[in-house]
Amino acid sequence: MITSLLIGIFLLSLLVVTALAIVRASDLFSAVMLSGIYSLLMALNFFLLDAADVALTEAAVGAGVATVLQLAALRMAPATEARHRRARGLAVAVVVVSTLLMIYASFGQPTLGDPQAPPQQHVAPWYIEKTPELVDIPNIVSAVLASFRGYDTLGEVFVVLTAGIGVMFLLGGGRGKPFRGLDSQGEDGLQEHLILKVVARILIPFILLFGFFIQFHGEYSPGGGFQAGALLVAGLILYALIRGERRALAVIPPRVLLWLSAGGAFLYGSVGVAGMLLGGEFLNYSVLASDSIAGQHLGILVIELGVGMTVTGVLLSIFHAFAARD
Amino acid sequence: MKLLGLFNYWVFAVLLMIGLYTLISKQNLVKKMLALAIFQSAVFLFFITMSKIEGGTAPIFRAGAGEQVFSNPLPQVLILTAIVVGISTMALGLAIVVRLYEEYGTIEDDEILAMDRNA
């Protein structure tokens, strides 16, 4: 146990060092690359703290998709920070005092891994105990996400969709031509870099296959729609970077992307309404099949598919919206 | 030993405040977005720290494993969705930064403010 504690302390210290480096870097490109490292370290920490699903998401989203989006934004904005401000005394004082207060407050917190800690006593044991009986899938995180707290997840999917709509409004080219500026570009991605091209060609099928595995095996192992969506997007972005925007949009046309984004959220909501029509409550999957457990399995499979579709569609549209702007 | 068990909370406090300080003291909007991500991930770390149980495993039932101790699945569910919402808000923020740059020609917020005042 002491070993994993020490590994944790090592990783957390690296995390603080990386965060300081991000703040201090005046070259924004280095800041973005450092924040990729930061996300990867954070994912390792999550894994060490038994949160396999969260680690998977953070690695795919934080280290993969976020870094690419930040780089795409820097392509259009200046990549160095103007330096003309000294450290502000008041801000430093406020921050230092707050840090010390929080560290002082931490002495009232239960230590790491304490089984008697209040969060472990109240609601969680019920979910762990009832999951095999009511939902009967091995991954408790997926069960809570998709079934017990399905309402919450529906909200999250709509937040993702709304953010996608917002980005399309800000950077997109309007109706019929969602990714404007594409025609003026003649570039063919990174085709001429032979090593990148060969490595990517080997990697992409495996990333996509792993994405589909995570999508459809999410009830039995770490995974689910959110992680699968992020992984699929990472693979498709790699394709777009190597073969060029236009080729990538020929594989998955803009129209399909928009339908995927909205269709996933619609599919999720329809499952809820189907439950109502069959005599249950909104998002009650038990009535979807003759047997309550089979209904739960069906419901979870379909809404995870909806989540995966929306996340894939939205993140990929966002990437193209950034990349196609000149 | 007791002190080492609190280390996660200290890192949470330090990361949260690094993010907050950068957010209020730096003028560069992309830097502010990165700081917001640090601030956000500090909160993620706090939640996941509370989910850990000594000797526990990831909350997934294994067939034939007998009695298993699971870490708390609830904070994990909350943070999993929060990460995906985080990237969506980050994308929206970056899109606004790009539009601001196109309109003002700078991404330093004091320069943007100065232009607005002079206009």
Coordinates of all heavy atoms in Angstrom, one line a residue, chain A residues 51-102:
Chain A
A51 N -10.0 4.8 -10.4 CA -11.1 5.3 -11.3 C -10.7 5.0 -12.7 O -10.3 5.9 -13.5 CB -11.3 6.8 -11.1
A52 N -10.9 3.8 -13.2 CA -10.4 3.3 -14.5 C -11.2 4.1 -15.6 O -10.6 4.6 -16.6 CB -10.6 1.8 -14.6
D53 N -12.5 4.2 -15.4 CA -13.3 4.9 -16.4 C -12.9 6.4 -16.6 O -12.8 6.9 -17.7 CB -14.8 4.9 -16.0 CG -15.4 3.5 -16.3 OD1 -15.9 3.3 -17.4 OD2 -15.5 2.7 -15.3
V54 N -12.7 7.0 -15.5 CA -12.3 8.4 -15.5 C -10.9 8.6 -16.2 O -10.7 9.5 -17.0 CB -12.3 9.0 -14.1 CG1 -12.1 10.5 -14.2 CG2 -13.6 8.8 -13.4
A55 N -10.0 7.7 -15.8 CA -8.6 7.8 -16.4 C -8.7 7.6 -17.9 O -8.0 8.4 -18.6 CB -7.8 6.7 -15.8
L56 N -9.5 6.7 -18.4 CA -9.7 6.5 -19.8 C -10.2 7.7 -20.5 O -9.7 8.2 -21.5 CB -10.6 5.3 -20.0 CG -10.7 4.7 -21.4 CD1 -9.4 4.3 -21.9 CD2 -11.7 3.5 -21.4
T57 N -11.2 8.4 -19.9 CA -11.8 9.6 -20.4 C -10.7 10.7 -20.5 O -10.6 11.4 -21.5 CB -13.0 10.0 -19.6 OG1 -13.8 8.9 -19.3 CG2 -13.8 11.0 -20.4
E58 N -10.0 10.9 -19.3 CA -9.1 12.0 -19.2 C -8.0 11.8 -20.3 O -7.6 12.8 -20.9 CB -8.5 12.1 -17.8 CG -7.4 13.1 -17.6 CD -8.0 14.6 -17.6 OE1 -9.1 14.7 -17.3 OE2 -7.2 15.5 -18.0
A59 N -7.5 10.6 -20.4 CA -6.4 10.3 -21.4 C -6.9 10.6 -22.8 O -6.2 11.3 -23.6 CB -5.9 8.9 -21.3
A60 N -8.1 10.2 -23.2 CA -8.6 10.4 -24.5 C -8.9 11.8 -24.8 O -8.6 12.4 -25.8 CB -9.8 9.5 -24.8
V61 N -9.6 12.4 -23.8 CA -10.2 13.8 -24.0 C -9.1 14.8 -23.7 O -8.8 15.7 -24.5 CB -11.4 14.0 -23.1 CG1 -11.7 15.5 -23.1 CG2 -12.6 13.2 -23.6
G62 N -8.5 14.7 -22.5 CA -7.6 15.8 -22.1 C -6.3 15.8 -22.9 O -5.8 16.8 -23.4
A63 N -5.7 14.6 -23.0 CA -4.3 14.5 -23.6 C -4.5 14.5 -25.1 O -3.6 14.9 -25.9 CB -3.6 13.3 -23.1
G64 N -5.6 14.0 -25.6 CA -5.8 13.8 -27.1 C -6.5 15.0 -27.7 O -5.9 15.9 -28.3
V65 N -7.8 15.0 -27.5 CA -8.7 15.9 -28.2 C -8.4 17.4 -27.8 O -8.3 18.3 -28.7 CB -10.2 15.6 -28.0 CG1 -11.0 16.6 -28.8 CG2 -10.4 14.2 -28.5
A66 N -8.3 17.6 -26.5 CA -8.1 19.0 -26.0 C -6.8 19.6 -26.6 O -6.8 20.8 -27.1 CB -8.0 19.1 -24.5
T67 N -5.7 18.8 -26.6 CA -4.5 19.4 -27.2 C -4.6 19.8 -28.6 O -4.1 20.8 -29.0 CB -3.4 18.3 -27.0 OG1 -3.4 17.8 -25.7 CG2 -2.0 18.9 -27.3
V68 N -5.3 18.9 -29.4 CA -5.4 19.2 -30.8 C -6.3 20.5 -31.0 O -5.9 21.3 -31.8 CB -6.1 18.0 -31.5 CG1 -6.5 18.4 -32.9 CG2 -5.2 16.8 -31.6
L69 N -7.3 20.6 -30.2 CA -8.2 21.8 -30.3 C -7.4 23.1 -30.0 O -7.5 24.1 -30.7 CB -9.4 21.7 -29.4 CG -10.5 20.7 -29.9 CD1 -11.7 20.8 -29.0 CD2 -10.9 21.0 -31.3
Q70 N -6.6 23.0 -28.9 CA -5.8 24.2 -28.5 C -4.8 24.5 -29.6 O -4.6 25.7 -29.9 CB -5.1 23.9 -27.2 CG -6.1 23.9 -26.0 CD -5.6 23.1 -24.8 OE1 -4.5 22.5 -24.9 NE2 -6.4 23.0 -23.8
L71 N -4.2 23.5 -30.2 CA -3.2 23.8 -31.3 C -3.9 24.4 -32.5 O -3.4 25.3 -33.1 CB -2.5 22.5 -31.7 CG -1.5 21.9 -30.7 CD1 -0.9 20.6 -31.2 CD2 -0.4 23.0 -30.5
A72 N -5.1 23.9 -32.8 CA -5.9 24.4 -33.9 C -6.2 25.9 -33.6 O -6.2 26.7 -34.6 CB -7.2 23.6 -34.1
A73 N -6.5 26.2 -32.4 CA -6.9 27.6 -32.1 C -5.6 28.5 -32.2 O -5.7 29.6 -32.7 CB -7.4 27.7 -30.7
L74 N -4.5 27.9 -31.8 CA -3.2 28.7 -31.9 C -2.8 28.9 -33.3 O -2.0 29.9 -33.6 CB -2.1 28.0 -31.1 CG -2.1 28.1 -29.6 CD1 -0.9 27.5 -29.0 CD2 -2.2 29.6 -29.2
R75 N -3.3 28.1 -34.3 CA -2.9 28.2 -35.7 C -3.5 29.6 -36.2 O -2.9 30.2 -37.1 CB -3.6 27.1 -36.5 CG -2.9 26.8 -37.8 CD -3.5 25.6 -38.4 NE -5.0 25.7 -38.5 CZ -5.6 26.1 -39.6 NH1 -4.9 26.5 -40.6 NH2 -6.9 26.2 -39.6
M76 N -4.6 30.0 -35.5 CA -5.2 31.3 -36.0 C -4.8 32.5 -35.1 O -5.1 33.6 -35.5 CB -6.7 31.1 -36.0 CG -7.1 30.2 -37.2 SD -8.8 29.7 -37.0 CE -8.7 28.3 -36.0
A77 N -4.4 32.2 -33.9 CA -4.1 33.3 -33.0 C -2.6 33.4 -32.7 O -1.9 32.4 -32.9 CB -4.9 33.1 -31.7
P78 N -2.1 34.5 -32.2 CA -0.6 34.6 -32.0 C -0.2 33.6 -30.9 O -0.9 33.3 -30.0 CB -0.4 36.0 -31.5 CG -1.8 36.5 -31.1 CD -2.8 35.8 -32.0
A79 N 1.0 33.0 -31.1 CA 1.4 31.9 -30.2 C 2.4 32.3 -29.1 O 2.9 31.5 -28.4 CB 2.1 30.8 -31.1
T80 N 2.6 33.7 -29.0 CA 3.4 34.1 -27.8 C 2.6 35.1 -27.0 O 1.7 35.8 -27.5 CB 4.7 34.8 -28.3 OG1 4.4 35.6 -29.4 CG2 5.8 33.8 -28.6
E81 N 2.9 35.0 -25.7 CA 2.1 35.9 -24.8 C 2.9 37.2 -24.6 O 4.1 37.2 -24.5 CB 2.1 35.1 -23.5 CG 1.2 35.7 -22.4 CD 1.4 34.9 -21.1 OE1 2.2 34.1 -21.0 OE2 0.6 35.2 -20.2
A82 N 2.1 38.3 -24.7 CA 2.8 39.6 -24.4 C 3.1 39.7 -23.0 O 2.3 39.3 -22.1 CB 1.8 40.7 -24.8
R83 N 4.4 40.1 -22.7 CA 4.8 40.1 -21.3 C 4.9 41.6 -20.9 O 5.9 42.2 -21.2 CB 6.2 39.5 -21.1 CG 6.1 38.0 -21.0 CD 6.7 37.6 -19.7 NE 6.5 36.2 -19.4 CZ 7.3 35.4 -18.8 NH1 8.4 35.9 -18.3 NH2 7.0 34.2 -18.6
H84 N 3.9 42.1 -20.2 CA 4.1 43.5 -19.7 C 3.4 43.7 -18.4 O 3.1 44.8 -18.0 CB 3.6 44.5 -20.7 CG 2.3 44.1 -21.3 ND1 1.1 44.1 -20.5 CD2 1.9 43.6 -22.5 CE1 0.1 43.7 -21.3 NE2 0.6 43.4 -22.5
R85 N 3.3 42.7 -17.7 CA 2.6 42.8 -16.4 C 3.5 42.1 -15.3 O 3.9 41.0 -15.5 CB 1.3 42.2 -16.4 CG 0.0 42.9 -16.0 CD 0.1 44.3 -15.6 NE -1.1 44.7 -14.8 CZ -2.3 44.8 -15.3 NH1 -2.6 44.4 -16.5 NH2 -3.3 45.2 -14.5
R86 N 3.7 42.8 -14.2 CA 4.4 42.2 -13.1 C 3.4 41.4 -12.3 O 2.2 41.5 -12.5 CB 5.0 43.3 -12.2 CG 6.1 44.2 -12.8 CD 6.5 45.3 -11.9 NE 5.4 46.3 -11.8 CZ 4.7 46.5 -10.7 NH1 4.9 45.7 -9.6 NH2 3.8 47.4 -10.6
A87 N 4.0 40.5 -11.5 CA 3.1 39.7 -10.6 C 2.3 40.7 -9.7 O 2.9 41.7 -9.2 CB 3.9 38.8 -9.7
R88 N 1.0 40.5 -9.5 CA 0.2 41.4 -8.8 C 0.2 41.0 -7.3 O -0.2 39.9 -6.9 CB -1.2 41.4 -9.3 CG -1.2 42.2 -10.6 CD -2.6 42.7 -10.9 NE -3.2 41.8 -11.9 CZ -4.4 42.1 -12.4 NH1 -5.1 43.1 -12.0 NH2 -5.0 41.3 -13.2
G89 N 0.6 41.9 -6.4 CA 0.7 41.6 -5.0 C -0.5 41.1 -4.4 O -0.6 40.1 -3.7
L90 N -1.6 41.8 -4.7 CA -2.9 41.5 -4.1 C -3.3 40.1 -4.5 O -3.8 39.2 -3.6 CB -4.0 42.5 -4.5 CG -5.3 42.3 -3.9 CD1 -5.3 42.4 -2.4 CD2 -6.4 43.3 -4.4
A91 N -3.2 39.8 -5.8 CA -3.6 38.4 -6.3 C -2.8 37.3 -5.6 O -3.3 36.3 -5.1 CB -3.4 38.4 -7.8
V92 N -1.5 37.6 -5.5 CA -0.6 36.6 -4.9 C -1.0 36.4 -3.4 O -1.2 35.3 -2.9 CB 0.9 37.1 -4.9 CG1 1.7 36.1 -4.1 CG2 1.4 37.1 -6.3
A93 N -1.3 37.5 -2.7 CA -1.7 37.4 -1.3 C -3.0 36.6 -1.1 O -3.1 35.7 -0.3 CB -1.9 38.8 -0.7
V94 N -4.0 36.9 -2.0 CA -5.3 36.2 -1.9 C -5.1 34.7 -2.1 O -5.6 33.9 -1.4 CB -6.3 36.8 -2.9 CG1 -7.5 35.9 -3.0 CG2 -6.7 38.2 -2.5
V95 N -4.3 34.4 -3.1 CA -4.1 33.0 -3.5 C -3.3 32.2 -2.4 O -3.7 31.1 -2.1 CB -3.4 32.9 -4.9 CG1 -2.7 31.6 -5.1 CG2 -4.3 33.3 -6.0
V96 N -2.3 32.9 -1.9 CA -1.5 32.2 -0.8 C -2.4 32.0 0.4 O -2.4 30.9 1.0 CB -0.2 33.0 -0.5 CG1 0.4 32.5 0.8 CG2 0.7 33.0 -1.7
V97 N -3.1 33.0 0.8 CA -3.9 32.8 2.0 C -5.0 31.7 1.8 O -5.2 30.9 2.6 CB -4.6 34.2 2.4 CG1 -5.7 34.0 3.4 CG2 -3.6 35.2 2.8
S98 N -5.6 31.7 0.6 CA -6.6 30.7 0.3 C -6.0 29.3 0.3 O -6.6 28.3 0.9 CB -7.3 30.9 -1.0 OG -7.7 32.2 -1.2
T99 N -4.8 29.2 -0.3 CA -4.1 27.9 -0.2 C -3.9 27.4 1.2 O -4.2 26.3 1.5 CB -2.8 27.9 -1.0 OG1 -3.0 28.6 -2.2 CG2 -2.2 26.6 -1.2
L100 N -3.4 28.3 2.0 CA -3.1 27.9 3.4 C -4.3 27.5 4.1 O -4.4 26.6 4.9 CB -2.3 29.1 4.1 CG -0.9 29.3 3.6 CD1 -0.3 30.5 4.3 CD2 -0.1 28.1 3.7
L101 N -5.4 28.3 3.9 CA -6.7 28.0 4.5 C -7.2 26.6 4.1 O -7.6 25.8 5.0 CB -7.8 29.0 4.1 CG -7.8 30.3 5.0 CD1 -8.9 31.2 4.4 CD2 -8.1 29.9 6.4
M102 N -7.0 26.3 2.8 CA -7.5 25.0 2.4 C -6.7 23.8 2.9 O -7.2 22.8 3.3 CB -7.5 24.9 0.8 CG -8.8 25.5 0.3 SD -9.0 25.1 -1.4 CE -8.0 26.3 -2.1

